[in-house]
Amino acid sequence: MPARKPAKRKSDVPTPSKQTKKVKGTTVTPEGEESAAVQHRSHGKEKGLVLVLGQGDVGQLGLGEDVMERKKPALVNLPEGVLQAVAGGMHTVCLGESGKVYTFGCNDEGALGWDTAEEGSEMSPAMVELDERVVQVSAGDSHTAALTDNGTVYIWGSFRDNNGVIGLLEPMKKSTIPVKISINQPVVKIASGSDHLVMLTQGGDLYSSGCGDQGQLGRVAECFANRGGRLGLGRLLTPQLVMVHSRGKVRFVDAFCGAYSTFAVSKDGHVYGFGLSNYHQLGTQSTNVCFTPVKLTAFKNSTTAWVGFSGGQHHTVCMDSEGKVYSLGRAEYGRLGLGEGALEKSEPTPVPGVDGAQVVACGASVSYAVTKRGSVFAWGMGTNMQLGTGEEDDEWSPKEMTGKQLEGRAVLSVSSGGQHTVLLVREKQES
C-alpha cells in the first residue's frame, strides 16, 4: 500500500504567514428549470487525450498498480475524450467531453470523490458521481473542485495548513463526495492553489476559501490567518467576497492561483495579487506576505494585456496576449528559465526560447509553456522526471518535451502536481 501523504511541515512553507432573475447576461431560474450555461474563455473547448509523466507511487499517473514512474509521456486510458486535465498535489482530475469528471491518485483526504476501499483502485481512473454537467475542474494538494454549466461549484477532499487538515466547508470535516458551495450568484471560473480555492462570478466578484496563513485568501487579516483566530476555521472555510480598497468597485474578468498566492485581472486590465511573496513571486518589491489585494505595478504596461498566470511554491510564470512568457520569483533549480546563474526576479522577466505561447503552468519548482503550434517546453527541477527529458538533471532554460506519445500530436494544455505532470493532446491536423 502506498504511504499516506505526510502533513505539511512548517518548514515546507516559509512564513514571513419561481421567479427569474437576470444577472449580467446569465439567467438564474428556479430549481428544476434550465438556465443559460455560464461561459468563460478558460473553459476547455477542444477534446483530447491525456498523457502523464513523473512519479506515480500513489496512483497519480492513472496507469495501474504496476507503473510507479514514467520518464516520458504515457497515455491514460479514459472512456471518452477529455476537455481539461489538471494535476493536484498527488492526484489527477480529468473533465470528459460529456461533462463527467474522472479522478485517480491519492485519496487520503477524499480528493478523488469516490470510494477507493478496494485495494489498488485509486491507481486507475474512475468517475465521480455528479448529476450536473461540469464545465471546469481544479485541484490542489488534497482537494478537487468542479464548476457546473449553471454556475454552481462542488468541492470534495480537504484543505490543510502547516499543522494538517483544517476541513473543507466545515471545520475539521473532509468530504469524500462532492458537496455544493453556497454562493448567491453564478460562478464562471474556479482556480485552486495548494490549499485554497478562488471563484470568479458572472458579475466580476471574487470569492475565496481554504487555508489563509500565507495571505492567499485576500480577505483575512494576519491576526486571524492562523485558523481564523477567535472565530475559528469557519472564517476561512466559508467562501466570502474578496474586497479591494478602491474609490470605485473593482470588477474582475479572470483569476489564477499559485501554490500560496492569487492573481486577479480587473476589467480595466490591472493585475491584483495577494499571498506569499517571500521571493517576490507576486511582483512586489517587498517580501512581506500580502493579506489583502495589492495592485501590482510590476505588471502595469499600457501595451501589455496579461492573460495567463501560474505559480509554483516560490515562483510565478505569466503570459501576455501576444504569447510572450515571463517569470519572476525564486531562481534556484532553473525554475525561471532564465539560464544558469540567474538570480531571483521581482518583476516579470522575459523567458527566452519560447514564442507564441498559449498556456503557462507551474509545479512546485518546475515551469511549462505550450505554444500555439502545439509544442510544450519545460524547465526547472528534474528530480521527479516531470520535465520529460528522461533524466533527473535540472534544466535552466526551456527545453522542448519529446516522446513517442507526442509524435504527430499537438499539446493543448499542461498541468503539474507535486511530482507528476499531465498533458492534454490532440492529433495534429494534416495541412
Side-chain angles (χ1 to χ4, degrees):
M1 287 290 288
R4 287 184 62 84
K5 183 178 177 182
K8 222 179 272 181
R9 300 184 304 273
K10 242 182 177 91
S11 59
D12 290 340
V13 187
T15 306
S17 164
K18 261 198 179 187
Q19 286 183 337
T20 300
K21 180 182 177 184
K22 293 280 187 180
V23 183
K24 291 286 183 181
T26 298
T27 304
V28 185
T29 57
E31 191 172 353
E33 296 182 21
E34 289 191 8
S35 61
V38 296
Q39 295 183 353
H40 191 269
R41 69 177 188 86
S42 61
H43 297 178
K45 298 174 180 64
E46 190 170 7
K47 69 177 180 179
L49 304 170
V50 176
L51 305 181
V52 291
L53 64 152
Q55 301 297 322
D57 57 328
V58 291
Q60 62 266 55
L61 298 183
L63 301 175
E65 295 183 74
D66 298 329
V67 182
M68 297 291 104
E69 177 184 271
R70 286 293 307 200
K71 296 181 180 181
K72 292 286 184 176
L75 182 66
V76 180
N77 184 25
L78 288 156
E80 61 176 313
V82 170
L83 296 177
Q84 187 189 4
V86 298
M90 300 174 78
H91 71 291
T92 303
V93 186
C94 300
L95 172 60
E97 60 181 316
S98 67
K100 294 181 172 66
V101 177
Y102 305 87
T103 61
F104 44 93
C106 182
N107 198 36
D108 284 1
E109 311 300 345
L112 298 191
W114 50 275
D115 185 3
T116 56
E118 183 182 342
E119 187 172 349
S121 60
E122 73 281 2
M123 298 282 188
S124 300
M127 190 180 73
V128 180
E129 290 294 334
L130 263 172
D131 293 334
E132 298 180 49
R133 180 185 177 89
V134 174
V135 295
Q136 190 171 55
V137 291
S138 69
D141 274 1
S142 304
H143 76 273
T144 303
L147 172 65
T148 73
D149 62 358
N150 65 3
T152 301
V153 179
Y154 289 85
I155 191 168
W156 55 96
S158 181
F159 294 119
R160 303 166 67 91
D161 66 7
N162 296 335
N163 299 308
V165 170
I166 61 172
L168 193 65
L169 294 178
E170 296 182 53
M172 307 308 293
K173 289 185 179 179
K174 67 181 182 182
S175 180
T176 58
I177 59 173
V179 288
K180 183 178 179 179
I181 291 179
S182 179
I183 292 181
N184 62 2
Q185 54 180 310
V187 172
V188 296
K189 184 181 181 182
I190 55 176
S192 288
S194 290
D195 285 288
H196 75 291
L197 176 72
V198 296
M199 294 158 279
L200 176 68
T201 72
Q202 186 82 52
D205 290 329
L206 195 65
Y207 286 78
S208 66
S209 65
C211 176
D213 57 8
Q214 305 300 323
Q216 60 266 60
L217 298 185
R219 59 172 179 79
V220 180
E222 183 174 5
C223 56
F224 303 122
N226 184 13
R227 300 211 164 192
R230 287 180 310 228
L231 291 183
L233 288 168
R235 183 195 293 267
L236 309 177
L237 299 177
T238 302
Q240 293 180 24
L241 186 64
V242 178
M243 301 292 291
V244 177
H245 298 294
S246 173
R247 288 183 180 179
K249 173 74 174 178
V250 175
R251 298 288 182 184
F252 294 106
V253 294
D254 219 336
F256 308 86
C257 287
Y260 312 111
S261 60
T262 304
F263 293 88
V265 180
S266 70
K267 191 175 182 179
D268 58 9
H270 293 292
V271 179
Y272 292 81
F274 41 93
L276 189 67
S277 196
N278 55 336
Y279 288 90
H280 307 283
Q281 59 264 48
L282 281 183
T284 55
Q285 290 301 308
S286 166
T287 55
N288 294 332
V289 172
C290 298
F291 286 93
T292 57
V294 175
K295 187 184 287 188
L296 301 173
T297 57
F299 295 93
K300 183 172 175 55
N301 185 322
S302 60
T303 63
T304 302
W306 298 96
V307 297
F309 291 82
S310 185
Q313 188 177 34
H314 296 135
H315 77 296
T316 300
V317 175
C318 46
M319 178 182 73
D320 67 19
S321 58
E322 296 179 351
K324 295 178 182 176
V325 178
Y326 305 77
S327 64
L328 62 157
R330 191 177 185 180
E332 280 85 350
Y333 313 116
R335 72 190 88 185
L336 297 187
L338 302 178
E340 203 156 354
L343 302 176
E344 68 182 60
K345 303 293 181 182
S346 60
E347 294 187 352
T349 305
V351 177
V354 182
D355 297 312
Q358 62 175 352
V359 175
V360 291
C362 290
S365 303
V366 292
S367 306
Y368 306 85
V370 177
T371 68
K372 292 173 184 175
R373 61 184 176 87
S375 299
V376 58
F377 290 82
W379 60 95
M381 183 186 284
T383 305
N384 296 310
M385 302 289 184
Q386 286 177 267
L387 303 182
T389 62
E391 307 293 337
E392 293 188 350
D393 297 333
D394 300 338
E395 292 291 340
W396 289 76
S397 298
K399 186 168 183 178
E400 186 171 354
M401 193 182 296
T402 60
K404 195 168 185 180
Q405 291 291 349
L406 287 172
E407 293 175 5
R409 288 170 173 161
V411 179
L412 298 172
S413 68
V414 59
S415 180
S416 182
Q419 298 176 318
H420 74 297
T421 300
V422 181
L423 305 172
L424 184 63
V425 303
R426 63 162 172 77
E427 303 298 332
K428 282 185 178 177
Q429 298 169 349
E430 294 185 14
S431 55

